Amino acid sequence: MDEQIFSSIFSLYSGVRRRTQLLVSDLSAEDMVVQTMPDVSPTKWHLAHTTWFWECFILRKYDPDYVEFSPEFNYLFNSYYEQIGERHARPERGFLTRPSLDEVLAYRAHVDAAMERLLSGNHKIDSTEVKALVELGVAHEEQHQELLVTDIKHVLSRHPFSLKAWAEETLRGNDLPELSWRAFQGGLYEFGHIGEDFHFDNEGPRHQYWLEDFALASRPVSNGEYLEFMADDGYGSAALWLSEGWASVNRENWAAPLYWFRKEGEWFEFTLGGERRVDPDAPVSHLSYFEAAAFAEWAGARLPEEREWEFAAASHNPGLADTLDPARAPHPVSRPEHGGFSQLFGGVWEWTRSAYSAYPRYRPAAGAVGEYNGKFMCGQFVLKGGSCATPPGHVRASYRNFFPPDARWQFSGVRLAKDI
């Protein structure tokens, strides 16, 4: 039985590692070393950091014979784990011309070989404990797959010629469904992850919460609707904006979603498949929380609470999500309704007006692993639903993504809500 368990664990591990390599297969070495802003990490760093995670949290603990590839890598590729030790400054990851990409790939091969030896030959270790850590490591690497995609989009967008990270695709969108409202009766309900399958610690504990009556829009806001907001001086009307958002508009000269630009009187956008005209029917993406909130104010609505969103999505099938496919360039397109909603899962992350904080009775795990989510529960907002760049395993109603309110480089959009 142990042999079968360890075989399934290694299959899980090797699968996520292959998908990461597939995502970078069309990038050059030069593509992978650039950092265009502090929030963006070079692709090379993502490849090394995800490898470091396996080395740090599994190999050092369970393999007494494991030999580190380089003692310097613990400093270079630790992201934010204070209990592990000091680390290189995040805004300067692009300064790391060394180790070379070839060395980082050799590091990945070194750790992959050690993980295969550990999971195929040593059944004296606790399979339950290792399985939990491998599931966390897989989820961690999948999160970095999404970050890798959104980061390289920002990197390539700064090139003067519209470069493609993936071969251009034929978009498979649909006519935009008419926006309607789905009403829900308030009451005392339970929220948070339920079940024994893998989930992050911030998705629980399961708890009760009172909702007032509310309605949620049947689909995300479209590019065409956002163009109407822009044409109505949305970026110039201070009354629509939160104070900090208005300051960001003026400081950063925001006048459109990130990656949009004017050419010959029309709006275009940079995508990972090259530049293309803005599709009025596609969900608007690359909005900050401030932009999402300003649009909602302009539309006479509001952003949903995260538990409203979760309640509405609890019976919706995430299997219909438009999520990360390593074979094509991620890009949100319109999708037909199913069960009364369109694209609750996939397409764009949807901002909520809920501050990212702990659920009742939440306690982070002991040790450095406990730093994964809990330490960030301040100054950020929750997003729900996943995007076209989100791996399928991260698409569920209880999943809580979180970013600062000025973040725009993710595929983040908006679905409206209103009180009844």
Side-chain angles (χ1 to χ4, degrees):
M1 180 61 70
D2 271 354
E3 187 173 342
Q4 292 179 345
I5 293 173
F6 280 102
S7 176
S8 67
I9 295 172
F10 180 69
S11 178
L12 190 66
Y13 170 83
S14 58
V16 77
R17 301 290 278 176
R18 284 194 300 271
R19 289 192 295 276
T20 300
Q21 289 300 135
L22 184 59
L23 281 172
V24 304
S25 59
D26 290 336
L27 301 180
S28 69
E30 291 78 10
D31 290 333
M32 298 193 207
V33 300
V34 177
Q35 181 176 25
T36 45
M37 68 170 178
D39 285 338
V40 162
S41 295
T43 301
K44 184 179 72 172
W45 187 90
H46 285 298
L47 294 175
H49 167 70
T50 51
T51 303
W52 168 87
F53 189 94
W54 298 108
E55 179 180 67
C56 180
F57 291 103
I58 293 185
L59 291 173
R60 289 180 191 163
K61 181 175 181 178
Y62 294 104
D63 186 353
D65 299 322
Y66 177 70
V67 177
E68 282 185 320
F69 186 86
S70 169
E72 297 174 345
F73 285 10
N74 192 62
Y75 176 83
L76 294 177
F77 301 121
N78 177 5
S79 54
Y80 50 71
Y81 296 92
E82 298 283 354
Q83 297 178 58
I84 300 299
E86 294 183 357
R87 61 211 172 277
H88 187 69
R90 177 175 180 172
E92 298 184 2
R93 290 171 183 171
F95 298 177
L96 299 175
T97 58
R98 301 179 187 181
S100 68
L101 176 62
D102 285 343
E103 288 177 275
V104 167
L105 295 177
Y107 177 40
R108 286 181 67 87
H110 174 85
V111 167
D112 286 346
M115 286 291 292
E116 183 173 14
R117 288 193 300 271
L118 178 71
L119 297 178
S120 63
N122 186 352
H123 299 153
K124 295 178 183 178
I125 57 180
D126 186 335
S127 61
T128 301
E129 189 175 297
V130 170
K131 183 174 184 290
L133 281 172
V134 169
E135 287 176 336
L136 176 63
V138 166
H140 169 261
E141 184 145 345
E142 287 175 335
Q143 286 183 322
H144 278 273
Q145 289 171 354
E146 180 167 1
L147 287 169
L148 186 157
V149 167
T150 51
D151 287 356
I152 197 64
K153 180 172 184 177
H154 194 273
V155 167
L156 295 180
S157 75
R158 303 305 300 269
H159 197 280
F161 305 114
S162 183
L163 302 181
K164 302 174 184 179
W166 279 263
E168 190 165 8
E169 58 168 326
T170 301
L171 298 181
R172 299 181 295 278
N174 298 85
D175 291 337
L176 183 68
E178 183 178 354
L179 190 146
S180 58
W181 294 92
R182 304 290 182 262
F184 294 91
Q185 183 177 353
L188 187 64
Y189 300 105
E190 288 194 346
F191 297 91
H193 189 271
I194 187 169
E196 299 301 318
D197 53 323
F198 174 81
H199 59 282
F200 288 109
D201 62 351
N202 67 353
E203 297 177 58
R206 189 84 171 162
H207 61 282
Q208 292 184 323
Y209 191 85
W210 180 269
L211 293 182
E212 300 292 337
D213 296 349
F214 73 97
L216 192 67
S218 58
R219 59 165 173 79
V221 170
S222 70
N223 286 329
E225 290 160 339
Y226 201 81
L227 282 165
E228 293 176 20
F229 165 76
M230 292 163 56
D232 197 30
D233 197 31
Y235 281 95
S237 301
L240 299 174
W241 294 80
L242 295 167
S243 176
E244 190 177 339
W246 184 242
S248 297
V249 167
N250 288 281
R251 183 179 62 251
E252 306 296 335
N253 295 316
W254 290 349
L258 184 63
Y259 302 125
W260 285 27
F261 59 94
R262 296 276 284 181
K263 187 170 72 171
E264 299 175 358
E266 292 188 73
W267 282 104
F268 284 73
E269 63 179 319
F270 174 79
T271 79
L272 283 164
E275 68 177 48
R276 45 172 71 106
R277 284 182 177 84
V278 168
D279 177 1
D281 291 344
V284 64
S285 63
H286 297 294
L287 297 183
S288 66
Y289 173 84
F290 296 133
E291 290 164 296
F295 179 90
E297 182 70 19
W298 173 82
R302 61 171 173 83
L303 299 181
E305 303 280 351
E306 67 165 312
R307 292 179 181 89
E308 290 175 337
W309 193 102
E310 182 176 332
F311 183 74
S315 61
H316 195 69
N317 180 11
L320 299 169
D322 180 24
T323 54
L324 182 63
D325 179 355
R328 68 179 181 90
H331 186 77
V333 294
S334 60
R335 296 294 187 207
E337 287 193 4
H338 176 83
F341 283 109
S342 173
Q343 291 179 277
L344 272 172
F345 297 101
V348 293
W349 284 105
E350 298 177 359
W351 285 105
T352 75
R353 69 178 186 181
S354 296
Y356 177 55
S357 61
Y359 284 159
R361 305 183 310 281
Y362 170 82
R363 293 296 301 168
V369 170
E371 298 185 53
Y372 199 97
N373 285 309
K375 66 190 289 181
F376 299 109
M377 291 177 171
C378 179
Q380 312 205 59
F381 286 84
V382 175
L383 301 95
K384 303 289 279 186
S387 79
C388 56
T390 304
H394 295 246
V395 175
R396 53 183 175 270
S398 63
Y399 195 99
R400 307 175 76 201
N401 200 359
F402 52 91
F403 281 104
D406 60 349
R408 308 173 85 206
W409 92 111
Q410 294 297 312
F411 287 95
S412 47
V414 55
R415 183 185 299 264
L416 298 176
K418 63 181 181 180
D419 300 315
I420 299 180

